Amino acid sequence: MRSYTLIAPAKINLHLEIIGDRPDGYHELVMILQSIDLADEIHLEASDNQAISVRCPHPEVPIDNSNIAYKAAELMAAEFPNAFARYGGVNITINKRIPVAAGLAGGSTNAAAVLVGIDLLWKLGLTQSELEELGAQLGSDVPFCVAGGTAIATGRGEQLSALPSLDNIYIVLGKYRSLAVSTPWAYKTYRQQFGDSYLKDTDSLSARAAAIHSGPIVKAILNKDATQIAQKLHNDLERVVLPAHPQVLQLRETFASAGVLGTMMSGSGPSVFAICDSQQQAEKVKLQVRETLADDDLELFVARMTSHGVQVASSM
Ligand code: C5P
């Protein structure tokens, strides 16, 4: 049976700004998304029947059709019924390294890998933008996860504008294993508390979305200046997640006092990352934070910003 092994990187948000409501119930966002080399490995194997299956030893990852990777395979089968009939179903194995429900797009990147892998298994020859359009039907972060790198994301998060990629910038990432934040909860709470300040008319929304292109963080990214990037990090969702989860605030403060260039929660959290000026500093900060907080529930990773999204590691 033909098979592909794909690398599916996580993302962090260098910028997350909530600017308004959308008629579809989602939020209008202005974000800067960045791939990191902390990645899951997805193995896709053609099956000899018309079934889709998901295997994943991680206890918090569902293996039924509620898994977004499963949904990605279902979507491909529905969109390309002839290829599905010809090549059969697919067995998906997920080797999970990205923390779950952490604001790191762990599920979205698995879905992106399934789209990319099935395109190859079924010899569909889809373009990157066709894959991104399919991804947008699965989740707001899936289109970004296909190509990855560094990008401005607007609309629901699915409208992408690539920036020159950043690499060789190291981060330390922390996540309490037992702590999970629901993304719908974070956005709903934000709307309840800060909805009054949302921009209402389309012109103001477009102007705000356009402003990011000439904003200070984009300038810092164009200069590949880690210090400046770290000083301009922004995430509106910290306003609701940090007060609700003092542990996350404490983690953020511990990073800040370890002398990093800058620190911020990623997405809807609860993971927190800190930008460091070298790999050595990142390793040192990781040890220091481990010692200060001394909590076995806290997972810490050193990761590097990377210029790519889903990649094929091997095929048979
Ligand atoms: O698109 P995705 O399924 O990843 O979004 C998860 C949840 O996050 C949505 O159900 C919604 O509550 C919230 N969300 C939002 N506005 C966005 C993206 C996500 O309100 N632009």
Side-chain angles (χ1 to χ4, degrees):
M1 282 291 163
R2 291 181 60 227
S3 70
Y4 284 90
T5 301
L6 301 116
I7 305 298
K11 65 89 185 139
I12 53 173
N13 297 75
L14 301 178
H15 185 90
L16 192 164
E17 197 183 339
I18 301 172
I19 62 171
D21 262 324
R22 291 169 57 89
D24 59 10
Y26 281 65
H27 285 88
E28 285 289 340
L29 304 177
V30 179
M31 300 191 286
I32 298 177
L33 302 172
Q34 173 64 55
S35 301
I36 57 172
D37 68 356
L38 174 65
D40 291 342
E41 200 181 85
I42 310 291
H43 185 71
L44 290 186
E45 190 187 40
S47 85
D48 49 12
N49 55 37
Q50 297 298 109
I52 297 163
S53 75
V54 173
R55 252 184 301 176
C56 179
H58 193 295
E60 283 150 52
V61 176
I63 54 166
D64 59 10
N65 61 1
S66 66
N67 186 310
I68 191 170
Y70 191 110
K71 288 183 185 160
E74 272 183 332
L75 175 67
M76 292 300 267
E79 292 279 333
F80 305 101
N82 294 340
F84 183 46
R86 179 165 174 202
Y87 292 105
V90 58
N91 298 321
I92 303 165
T93 307
I94 303 172
N95 181 2
K96 202 65 14 243
R97 299 199 191 98
I98 305 170
V100 176
L104 298 170
S108 301
T109 192
N110 293 174
V114 170
L115 298 179
V116 170
I118 291 184
D119 173 52
L120 294 168
L121 270 181
W122 294 355
K123 301 185 176 32
L124 296 169
L126 298 175
T127 62
Q128 185 180 304
S129 70
E130 286 167 334
L131 289 165
E132 288 175 4
E133 269 171 43
L134 289 164
Q137 297 181 44
L138 297 161
S140 309
D141 287 338
V142 181
F144 170 76
C145 291
V146 171
T150 311
I152 295 173
T154 54
R156 245 175 75 207
E158 87 294 6
Q159 286 170 32
L160 301 171
S161 162
L163 289 169
S165 50
L166 294 170
D167 39 27
N168 284 322
I169 297 181
Y170 282 84
I171 64 165
V172 190
L173 190 67
K175 154 92 187 12
Y176 285 97
R177 280 189 191 82
S178 61
L179 201 61
V181 170
S182 142
T183 304
W185 169 85
Y187 279 100
K188 194 179 77 190
T189 310
Y190 192 89
R191 180 184 282 125
Q192 281 163 359
Q193 294 185 16
F194 306 108
D196 287 352
S197 62
Y198 287 0
L199 299 175
K200 298 278 185 270
D201 65 291
T202 355
D203 285 351
S204 314
L205 287 165
S206 315
R208 180 72 74 83
I212 186 83
H213 290 265
S214 53
I217 183 144
V218 167
K219 285 194 183 126
I221 291 169
L222 296 176
N223 291 332
K224 298 190 187 292
D225 183 335
T227 307
Q228 282 295 315
I229 295 168
Q231 283 168 10
K232 304 292 177 213
L233 298 172
H234 178 88
N235 185 348
D236 276 338
L237 289 174
E238 284 198 337
R239 297 169 81 187
V240 292
V241 178
L242 297 187
H245 298 287
Q247 260 184 314
V248 182
L249 177 61
Q250 187 196 26
L251 175 58
R252 195 189 188 291
E253 284 170 350
T254 310
F255 274 135
S257 37
V260 300
L261 298 177
T263 179
M264 186 66 46
M265 187 179 81
S266 181
S268 54
S271 64
V272 176
F273 67 90
I275 299 185
C276 297
D277 67 12
S278 64
Q279 183 175 12
Q280 289 87 326
Q281 192 204 21
E283 296 291 353
K284 226 172 86 187
V285 168
K286 181 180 155 184
L287 287 178
Q288 200 174 321
V289 171
R290 159 86 45 240
E291 239 169 62
T292 311
L293 294 174
D295 186 342
D296 287 343
D297 194 40
L298 177 64
E299 288 183 285
L300 289 162
F301 306 86
V302 168
R304 190 171 57 84
M305 294 186 189
T306 172
S307 58
H308 63 79
V310 173
Q311 281 191 318
V312 176
S314 63
S315 63
M316 291 218 301

